[in-house]
């Protein structure tokens, strides 16, 4: 059966059943070799806890009587908390992160949010993804940073979404080239070897400006696939991302972070990586559900940091967690919690100046009938990472300046 250019255009150039895309056909063109045009060798990994992670059961205000009163069934028992100080501690599922915290490699920013919050998943996702509580921006904050400042050549692997099937909104921007890679094995021409062999002829025989654009897209895709295949052949993980003897599931956070480590170790142009773990919308049975999710996060992030260290890459990488909102102070009638506002986030890595930042919000002086007041604007965290870690211009991304936090070791 013959294959035409129309077949390719209808199906898309690169993908597989597991889901992969490459930069759009109007990307900047054939990228420079090596790391030409890359701002520096620093990498930011963004880990999304999708659904609205319960911050009060993650960084637990165990010494506050109001916590025990508000959460008689879903609250973490004070005697099981991993103490950070005399007031707050980590969920007992986060033993690996506690070890990293004790080693000075975890900063916990408390009470992160913004003024006049929304409690809709879709609206609040937009706020965080576009760094805009007014929800008027059209370019994601990471995409804007990547395309305008960090990657002047449009490298196909400078911005990556790992273990995902579509471009995260925060990486979408008119100037950003982003690759979405669910697995190293699936990053190939859609349709298998036959179409891969035909692609150069079909794409490069198109006349005029569209032929040039197709040629650029194909060259970008071919280079990205070659790089990823080469990295997969040479990279060996130096940590257990899952239980001993098990293989990471295709859709697990461990699998996504192992692929992220491979990208960082083998591809010098990588600048921003995005991974996601879903399931944090815990309206029911929160104790069991959130504990399992946090345990998965703990195992995967701990292994990721160990892996980077073993490969000599730990000085290059900072990881940030975020979730669209926290949860209400009081539990609901289904042994869960409902949509809230402010919550903590984690900044993890060897370059991080560890410790507690911000202020734990009051559990009794609340807003909107029982939600936490924010004490740190989320854009302060973004600004700190843009300026102090990635050495970019935060005002050009955020549209204004925000107070910074001393999260990064600058010495």
């Amino acid at each position: 059966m013959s294959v035409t250019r129309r077949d390719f255009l209808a199906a898309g150039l690169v993908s597989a059943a597991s889901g992969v895309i490459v930069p759009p056909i109007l990307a900047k063109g054939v990228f420079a070799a090596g790391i030409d045009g890359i701002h520096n060798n620093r990498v930011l990994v963004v880990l999304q806890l999708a659904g609205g992670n319960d911050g009060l059961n993650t960084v637990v205000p165990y010494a506050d009587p109001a916590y025990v009163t508000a959460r008689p069934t879903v609250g973490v028992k004070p005697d099981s908390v991993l103490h950070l100080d005399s007031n707050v501690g980590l969920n007992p599922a986060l033993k690996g992160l506690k070890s990293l915290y004790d080693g000075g490699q975890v900063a916990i920013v408390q009470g992160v949010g913004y003024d006049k919050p929304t409690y809709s998943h879709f609206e609040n996702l937009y706020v965080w993804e576009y760094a805009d509580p007014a929800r008027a921006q059209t370019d994601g904050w990471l995409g804007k940073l990547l395309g305008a400042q960090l990657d002047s050549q449009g490298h196909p692997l400078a911005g990556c979404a790992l273990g995902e099937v579509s471009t995260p909104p925060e990486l979408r921007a008119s100037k950003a080239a982003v690759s979405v890679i669910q697995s190293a094995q699936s990053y190939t021409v859609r349709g298998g070897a036959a179409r891969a062999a035909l692609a150069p002829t079909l794409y490069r025989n198109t006349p005029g400006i569209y032929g040039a654009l197709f040629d650029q897209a194909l060259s970008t895709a071919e280079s990205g696939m070659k790089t990823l295949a080469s990295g997969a052949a040479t990279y060996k993980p130096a940590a257990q991302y899952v239980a001993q003897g098990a293989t990471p599931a295709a859709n697990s956070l461990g699998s996504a972070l192992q692929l992220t480590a491979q990208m960082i170790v083998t591809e010098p142009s990588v600048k921003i990586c995005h991974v996601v773990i879903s399931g944090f919308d815990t309206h029911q049975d929160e104790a069991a559900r959130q504990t399992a999710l946090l345990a998965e996060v703990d195992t995967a992030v701990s292994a990721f940091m160990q892996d980077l260290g073993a490969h000599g890459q730990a000085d290059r990488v900072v990881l940030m967690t975020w979730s669209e909102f926290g949860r209400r102070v009081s539990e609901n009638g289904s042994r869960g919690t409902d949509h809230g506002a402010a919550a903590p986030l984690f900044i993890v890595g060897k370059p991080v100046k560890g410790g507690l930042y911000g202020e734990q919000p009051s559990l009794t002086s609340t807003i909107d009938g029982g939600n936490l007041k924010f004490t740190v604007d989320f854009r302060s965290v973004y600004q700190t990472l843009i300026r102090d870690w990635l050495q970019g211009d935060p005002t050009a991304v955020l549209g204004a300046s925000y107070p910074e936090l001393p999260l990064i070791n600058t010495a």
Side-chain angles (χ1 to χ4, degrees):
M1 176 174 136
S2 64
V3 181
T4 68
R5 283 190 293 274
R6 179 174 294 181
D7 295 327
F8 272 92
L9 292 174
L13 171 59
V14 179
S15 191
S18 56
V20 179
I21 65 171
V22 296
I25 204 163
L26 296 177
K28 295 177 184 177
V30 182
F31 60 92
I35 56 172
D36 291 349
I38 293 294
H39 189 64
N40 54 41
N41 73 340
R42 298 182 174 189
V43 180
L44 177 65
V45 178
V46 178
L47 167 54
Q48 180 184 359
L49 311 180
N53 178 47
D54 183 3
L56 288 174
N57 277 9
T58 302
V59 180
V60 185
Y62 68 91
D64 189 338
Y67 174 77
V68 178
T69 299
R71 297 178 169 215
T73 63
V74 305
V76 179
K77 302 307 179 187
D79 59 358
S80 69
V81 169
L82 307 174
H83 292 194
L84 301 175
D85 63 17
S86 59
N87 297 304
V88 299
L90 291 178
N91 187 293
L94 299 176
K95 292 181 176 64
L97 281 176
K98 176 59 162 58
S99 179
L100 288 168
Y101 181 90
D102 291 342
Q105 296 188 35
V106 177
I108 300 172
V109 188
Q110 304 173 99
V112 182
Y114 60 95
D115 194 26
K116 298 179 181 178
T118 174
Y119 303 103
S120 157
H121 286 292
F122 300 106
E123 292 176 353
N124 223 38
L125 284 167
Y126 198 112
V127 169
W128 281 76
E129 291 162 349
Y130 294 86
D132 180 22
R135 304 193 298 278
Q137 293 293 318
T138 57
D139 282 349
W141 76 279
L142 288 172
K144 189 183 300 184
L145 174 66
L146 179 68
Q149 299 186 43
L150 303 184
D151 175 26
S152 65
Q153 298 291 339
H155 294 72
L157 301 176
C160 296
L162 289 314
E164 302 183 49
V165 296
S166 61
T167 305
E170 55 264 56
L171 274 166
R172 294 175 187 164
S174 57
K175 295 182 179 180
V178 178
S179 294
V180 180
I181 308 169
Q182 190 163 40
S183 71
Q185 294 73 26
S186 67
Y187 197 80
T188 184
V189 171
R190 185 191 295 268
R195 288 198 176 203
L198 288 171
T201 300
L202 293 173
Y203 270 76
R204 289 174 177 148
N205 282 349
T206 301
I209 186 172
Y210 292 107
L213 293 173
F214 293 161
D215 183 70
Q216 291 174 358
L218 183 61
S219 296
T220 299
E222 288 174 336
S223 298
M225 288 184 287
K226 182 178 179 180
T227 297
L228 195 64
S230 175
T234 59
Y235 159 80
K236 302 298 180 186
Q240 289 289 336
Y241 285 83
V242 294
Q244 183 73 33
T247 301
N251 61 346
S252 73
L253 179 61
S255 177
L257 279 179
Q258 183 174 312
L259 180 57
T260 303
Q262 175 192 316
M263 297 296 298
I264 293 168
V265 168
T266 62
E267 174 46 47
S269 71
V270 172
K271 289 299 302 172
I272 295 175
C273 298
H274 187 280
V275 293
V276 61
I277 176 172
S278 301
F280 286 93
D281 196 18
T282 50
H283 291 283
Q284 302 89 25
D285 302 320
E286 178 176 315
R289 292 172 57 198
Q290 191 198 28
T291 297
L293 289 165
L294 291 179
E296 184 176 354
V297 170
D298 188 70
T299 299
V301 172
S302 299
F304 178 66
M305 293 301 164
Q306 180 184 341
D307 201 1
L308 292 176
H311 284 95
Q313 302 296 314
D315 290 327
R316 295 180 54 216
V317 182
V318 167
L319 179 147
M320 178 193 82
T321 70
W322 73 277
S323 195
E324 62 261 41
F325 44 59
R327 317 296 291 189
R328 294 176 70 86
V329 174
S330 296
E331 64 181 61
N332 61 28
S334 301
R335 296 180 181 268
T337 53
D338 297 325
H339 299 177
L345 58 75
F346 295 85
I347 311 295
V348 186
K350 190 174 179 181
V352 170
K353 189 181 295 183
L356 289 168
Y357 295 85
E359 179 183 348
Q360 170 62 38
S362 169
L363 274 62
T364 55
S365 178
T366 58
I367 59 172
D368 300 334
N371 290 304
L372 299 176
K373 298 177 182 177
F374 83 100
T375 60
V376 175
D377 192 299
F378 75 100
R379 289 163 293 186
S380 286
V381 179
Y382 288 4
Q383 171 152 332
T384 300
L385 292 173
I386 293 170
R387 186 189 302 279
D388 293 346
W389 177 238
L390 295 173
Q391 300 178 324
D393 176 6
T395 304
V397 176
L398 304 176
S401 183
Y402 298 88
E404 293 189 19
L405 302 164
L407 302 172
I408 303 297
N409 285 309
T410 56

